[in-house]
């Protein structure tokens, strides 16, 4: 078991230093394998690669289609049109809420949070300029709208963090709606209150809006954007196809992709390039997550895993607490919500499903807690989405990480507590 802990600590340290998990994960798996008495060559070629390849086989279509959908919605201007309409309606007096709601609508509609960051930054900048709010709060607002309640909590979201548990618990994306809605409301309300509190503090200290040094890529030609109401249709199609008609997420995403091209057919010249960029970009995302899953497969194979399992499953209280701890720790170690949750469920999913059947706690509750927990410690400073967010906004960890941490790390963990209580007493 100490070998497993050493491998996890090394994984977290190297990920924090910014090294690619594509080589970090197998190196850390080697540490686990050697201390667990496995043959290193067989471990890598068989155990590690079987875990990696199995994950790619299961999830590559979802990653690829999701990336293509996001790229097309960005290229056609549909995502910008929706975001601009929402932020205009809420206005500069509600600048923070406008950014949060804009991000939330786009991510709930199935657009990748990475795409949402690029779409919302110039619109958020425009709102913050009019409201004279410091740019330091913009990453926190985007993180709250993109990395939290619409990623893991609201039932029916097509984000991968809500889809992965369906594979392990036999549930649907709308699993445990009461638990999810309660957690989502808490994240949204407490997050907005935190950002408004921070806005007052900054303003009192004389820290208000300043123009970014690099304005490249910020200006938008609003005259070329499609009608916002028509732009909503692909997002609505994805959510309705998956949750109302109960069709597979792959079918839902294809429906959204096709409709996004139909409503903006005048831009057909760029469709092929946009689809290619999405497909190519998805390779990095799926391989990063799969590399982490390969590490988890090795962990599950060594003798010490039985001891670790006993430790986790004997955490005092409901088994939902055990699952939340396991997913949070692994998401933090990998710096990835989907990666950490996939490792945890690959290793312990069968155990938790068995516990659900034995204790009478619904598998839906385990689904929702796994999803919620994946969106907690994942946003430690080395998280890829956090690094991208800060790079796009031109700000540093020193400038803005405290607000990113509060809105997308601390509050999701806090919001998981009432969800765990509800799940434990049979309210799903």
């Amino acid at each position: 078991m100490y070998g497993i802990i050493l491998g996890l600590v090394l994984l977290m340290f190297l990920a924090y230093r910014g090294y690619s998990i594509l080589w970090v994960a197998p190196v850390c798996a080697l540490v686990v394998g050697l201390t667990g008495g496995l043959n290193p060559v067989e471990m890598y070629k068989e155990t590690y690669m079987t875990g990696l390849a199995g994950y790619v086989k299961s999830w590559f279509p979802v990653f690829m289609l999701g990336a293509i959908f996001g790229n097309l919605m960005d290229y056609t201007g549909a995502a910008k049109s929706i975001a601009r309409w929402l932020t205009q309606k809420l206005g500069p007096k509600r600048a923070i809420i406008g950014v949060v709601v804009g991000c939330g609508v786009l991510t709930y509609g199935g657009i990748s949070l990475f795409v949402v960051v690029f779409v919302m930054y110039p619109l958020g900048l425009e709102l913050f300029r009019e409201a004279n709010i410091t740019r330091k709060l913009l990453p926190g607002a985007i993180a709250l709208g993109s990395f939290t309640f619409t990623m893991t909590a609201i039932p029916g979201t097509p984000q991968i963090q809500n889809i992965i548990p369906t594979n392990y618990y036999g549930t649907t994306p709308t699993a445990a709606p009461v638990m999810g809605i309660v957690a989502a409301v808490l994240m949204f309300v407490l997050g907005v209150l935190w950002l408004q509190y921070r806005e007052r503090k900054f303003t009192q200290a004389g820290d208000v809006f300043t123009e970014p040094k690099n304005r490249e890529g910020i200006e938008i030609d609003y005259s070329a954007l499609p009608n916002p109401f028509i732009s909503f249709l692909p997002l609505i199609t994805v959510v309705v196809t998956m949750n109302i008609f109960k069709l597979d997420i792959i079918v839902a995403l294809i429906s959204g992709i096709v409709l996004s091209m139909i409503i903006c057919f005048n831009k057909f010249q760029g469709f092929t390039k946009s689809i290619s960029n999405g497909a190519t970009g998805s390779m990095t995302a799926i391989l990063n997550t799969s590399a982490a899953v390969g590490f988890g497969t090795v962990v599950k194979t060594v003798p010490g895993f039985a001891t670790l399992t006993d430790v986790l499953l004997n955490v005092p209280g409901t088994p939902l607490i055990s699952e939340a701890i396991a997913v949070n720790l692994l998401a933090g170690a990998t710096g990835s919500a989907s990666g950490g949750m996939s490792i945890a469920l690959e290793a312990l999913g069968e155990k938790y499903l068995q516990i659900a059947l034995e204790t009478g706690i619904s598998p839906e509750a385990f689904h929702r807690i796994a999803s919620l927990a994946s969106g907690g410690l994942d946003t430690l400073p080395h998280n890829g989405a956090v690094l991208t967010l800060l790079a796009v906004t031109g700000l540093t960890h020193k400038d803005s990480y405290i607000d990113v941490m509060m809105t997308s790390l601390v509050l999701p963990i806090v919001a998981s507590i009432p969800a765990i209580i509800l799940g434990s007493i049979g309210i799903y």
Side-chain angles (χ1 to χ4, degrees), residues 201-278:
K201 288 291 183 182
F202 275 120
T203 303
Q204 289 168 5
D207 193 344
V208 291
F209 186 85
T210 56
E211 290 292 342
K213 293 179 182 179
N214 182 12
R215 294 189 54 80
E216 185 179 349
I218 294 175
E219 303 299 335
I220 298 175
D221 180 9
Y222 294 117
S223 63
L225 297 181
N227 182 286
F229 298 105
I230 294 176
S231 299
F232 265 110
L233 293 178
L235 304 188
I236 295 170
T237 298
V238 171
V239 175
V240 169
T241 302
M242 187 177 71
N243 296 302
I244 304 298
F245 295 115
K246 304 296 182 184
L247 296 177
D248 193 275
I249 178 66
I250 293 174
V251 178
L253 288 170
I254 290 174
S255 302
I257 288 168
V258 171
L259 191 55
S260 68
M261 291 191 289
I262 290 173
I263 65 176
C264 295
F265 190 71
N266 61 317
K267 297 189 176 182
F268 69 92
Q269 298 95 333
F271 286 169
T272 305
K273 183 179 179 181
S274 188
I275 291 169
S276 296
N277 289 341

Side-chain angles (χ1 to χ4, degrees), residues 3 7 85 88 92-93 119-121 140 159 195 197 199 232 271 308 335 338 367 386 408 428:
W85 180 79
Q88 278 185 322
K93 289 184 179 179
V119 168
M120 283 303 304
Y121 171 55
Q159 294 297 325
L195 291 171
Y197 161 76
E199 177 199 344
F232 265 110
F271 286 169
L308 181 62
S338 58
H367 169 131
V386 171
S408 64
Y428 310 122

Side-chain angles (χ1 to χ4, degrees), residues 102-251:
C103 291
V105 168
L106 294 177
T107 48
Y108 189 73
I111 298 178
S112 161
L113 54 91
F114 288 96
V115 174
V116 172
V117 168
F118 285 96
V119 168
M120 283 303 304
Y121 171 55
L123 296 168
L125 196 68
E126 187 177 286
L127 278 178
F128 276 43
R129 181 188 293 112
E130 290 186 51
N132 201 25
I133 299 172
T134 177
R135 287 187 297 117
K136 294 175 184 176
L137 291 176
L138 192 50
I142 293 174
L144 177 59
S146 305
F147 306 169
T148 62
F149 55 95
T150 50
M151 185 177 87
T152 65
I154 299 183
T157 176
Q159 294 297 325
I160 192 72
Q161 292 80 4
N162 184 48
I163 304 300
I164 289 172
T166 62
N167 223 32
Y168 296 92
Y169 296 125
T171 48
T172 67
T174 55
V178 176
M179 294 168 62
I181 290 169
V182 168
V185 170
L186 272 174
M187 282 188 247
F188 178 82
V189 172
L190 294 178
V192 169
L193 289 175
W194 168 263
L195 291 171
Q196 290 176 337
Y197 161 76
R198 291 278 288 166
E199 177 199 344
R200 290 192 297 272
K201 288 291 183 182
F202 275 120
T203 303
Q204 289 168 5
D207 193 344
V208 291
F209 186 85
T210 56
E211 290 292 342
K213 293 179 182 179
N214 182 12
R215 294 189 54 80
E216 185 179 349
I218 294 175
E219 303 299 335
I220 298 175
D221 180 9
Y222 294 117
S223 63
L225 297 181
N227 182 286
F229 298 105
I230 294 176
S231 299
F232 265 110
L233 293 178
L235 304 188
I236 295 170
T237 298
V238 171
V239 175
V240 169
T241 302
M242 187 177 71
N243 296 302
I244 304 298
F245 295 115
K246 304 296 182 184
L247 296 177
D248 193 275
I249 178 66
I250 293 174
V251 178

